[in-house]
Amino acid sequence: MTLKNAITFFESLVTKTSRNSEIKVYQEFIQIITSLEMKDLSKNEIQSIETELDKLNLKSTLVNRKKYFKKAISDFKKYLKDTFSLTPKGYYTTFYGGLGLIFGLLFGVAILSNLERSLGISLGLIGGMVVGSIMGRSKDAQAKTAGKML
């Protein structure tokens, strides 16, 4: 399936459904494929992406389309991340924010436990999330300047 055919296919799916949750999934696919078209990719890279789209078997008729396409978009994003180091917008912010929450919780329990326990945990979570989000935003900015963001 070529990139243009994929966009046409998802645009037709958007017009066929009235569920907002399905429309969001289809529009996310359209946004990713459109941004791939704008990138300066070689013929081999485009061919590889089109082969991956074929492997996802998008034109199959299923009962639960939303669930299938959510899994397909997840697999497609993973493929783009692993193969071309392309990440969606906000990828590193959410990743580092989650890591910040984990380390903030550990910091709050281990270091700030001399305060009231719930206060120490709360301060650790807040601090970890803020630091993680800041680090993630800077990493997202680096990816954007390097042209590695979808």
Side-chain angles (χ1 to χ4, degrees):
M1 174 182 288
T2 65
L3 296 179
K4 293 205 183 292
N5 289 348
I7 290 174
T8 306
F9 173 70
F10 283 110
E11 285 174 345
S12 71
L13 288 177
V14 167
T15 59
K16 289 179 184 175
T17 188
S18 61
R19 294 186 194 158
N20 285 335
S21 58
E22 282 185 38
I23 291 172
K24 286 180 185 178
V25 173
Y26 302 149
Q27 287 176 339
E28 187 176 2
F29 250 119
I30 292 169
Q31 186 269 329
I32 289 173
I33 294 171
T34 304
S35 64
L36 284 173
E37 281 185 326
M38 291 183 202
K39 298 244 180 254
D40 292 329
L41 299 172
S42 69
K43 270 201 180 283
N44 290 338
E45 291 172 335
I46 291 174
Q47 187 117 27
S48 172
I49 291 170
E50 290 173 350
T51 303
E52 184 64 23
L53 284 172
D54 287 335
K55 286 181 188 175
L56 292 175
N57 196 16
L58 299 174
K59 291 197 176 187
S60 63
T61 56
L62 299 168
V63 175
N64 195 350
R65 284 179 165 254
K66 179 185 160 194
K67 183 178 178 181
Y68 181 77
F69 283 119
K70 275 189 140 187
K71 183 176 179 346
I73 200 166
S74 174
D75 293 344
F76 190 59
K77 284 180 184 177
K78 185 177 184 314
Y79 167 77
L80 292 174
K81 171 86 172 99
D82 294 344
T83 308
F84 303 107
S85 300
L86 295 173
T87 58
K89 186 177 182 181
Y91 172 80
Y92 290 111
T93 303
T94 56
F95 180 73
Y96 280 90
L99 283 179
L101 282 173
I102 292 169
F103 287 114
L105 177 66
L106 294 174
F107 181 76
V109 169
I111 307 298
L112 299 176
S113 62
N114 60 353
L115 299 172
E116 186 179 328
R117 184 159 305 267
S118 63
L119 179 64
I121 292 172
S122 299
L123 289 175
L125 284 172
I126 292 169
M129 187 174 70
V130 167
V131 169
S133 294
I134 290 170
M135 290 172 59
R137 283 185 180 224
S138 69
K139 189 80 170 162
D140 276 335
Q142 288 174 358
K144 188 172 186 174
T145 56
K148 295 291 186 180
M149 187 175 285
L150 293 174

